[in-house]
Amino acid sequence: MSVQWDEAAASEIVRRHEGREGRLLPILHDIQASFGCVPEPAIPFLAQAMNVTRAEVHGVVSFYHDFRDRPAGRHVLKICRAEACQSMDGEGLARRLLDRLGLEWGGTTPDGTVTVEAIYCLGLCASAPAAMLDGEPMARLNEGSIGEIVREVSR
């Protein structure tokens, strides 16, 4: 799925944040909200608009896991990979879910239904293993809940 870059829309986003301290992160969030991702043309555009290097913009985009370079699927499933979830077989459950969907971490199904991403703590450690589907937390995952997730994202 390709993204249609609109420099005028991006310029408006940058303009809305003029004068703000630390404006790169809010601008990147707004770019992603508008375009579904931070497309490649955004990197040199933002570098020039903000008078910073391309490396600086790219470094921020690549450091934060929430920024993506291509649009996500209709559903976004974030699976916790932190220690508490690992200790409760979170990795095994995640692997079985990924295999069932035919994906690797960060992948999107060919039909664009779901993107599966890693997250490194949802704060649900006492209810591990945990995930978040479309912003809704899910705790105490098990084999049954994997099936429910697959059914939910397949609708």
Side-chain angles (χ1 to χ4, degrees):
M1 179 188 306
S2 65
V3 175
Q4 184 66 37
W5 175 246
D6 182 347
E7 195 167 299
S11 293
E12 176 57 24
I13 290 168
V14 171
R15 188 199 60 72
R16 285 196 315 257
H17 293 279
E18 279 181 21
R20 266 182 100 169
E21 288 291 322
R23 64 189 179 140
L24 181 55
L25 279 174
I27 288 171
L28 288 168
H29 281 289
D30 286 356
I31 292 280
Q32 183 157 291
S34 294
F35 295 98
C37 64
V38 179
E40 188 58 39
I43 306 295
F45 171 81
L46 291 175
Q48 181 178 9
M50 298 179 65
N51 196 29
V52 297
T53 66
R54 289 180 184 195
E56 209 172 328
V57 177
H58 182 268
V60 171
V61 171
S62 61
F63 178 79
Y64 291 101
H65 295 280
D66 277 342
F67 296 125
R68 49 180 78 86
D69 61 0
R70 65 184 86 66
R74 284 193 323 274
H75 298 281
V76 176
L77 176 63
K78 296 183 179 200
I79 302 175
C80 183
R81 299 189 77 188
E83 290 80 4
C85 288
Q86 287 180 30
S87 73
M88 299 300 291
D89 192 35
E91 284 296 308
L93 286 169
R95 175 50 35 210
R96 290 189 288 283
L97 178 68
L98 288 165
D99 289 347
R100 198 160 165 183
L101 293 171
L103 294 175
E104 290 300 324
W105 290 107
T108 301
T109 53
D111 64 358
T113 300
V114 64
T115 298
V116 179
E117 299 176 338
I119 193 164
Y120 294 92
C121 194
L122 289 165
L124 296 170
C125 302
S127 302
M132 188 164 48
L133 179 61
D134 298 333
E136 293 294 321
M138 306 171 78
R140 295 187 174 90
L141 297 178
N142 56 41
E143 294 297 331
S145 55
I146 288 175
E148 290 174 31
I149 290 169
V150 171
R151 282 189 294 282
E152 177 69 23
V153 300
S154 297
R155 292 183 191 172

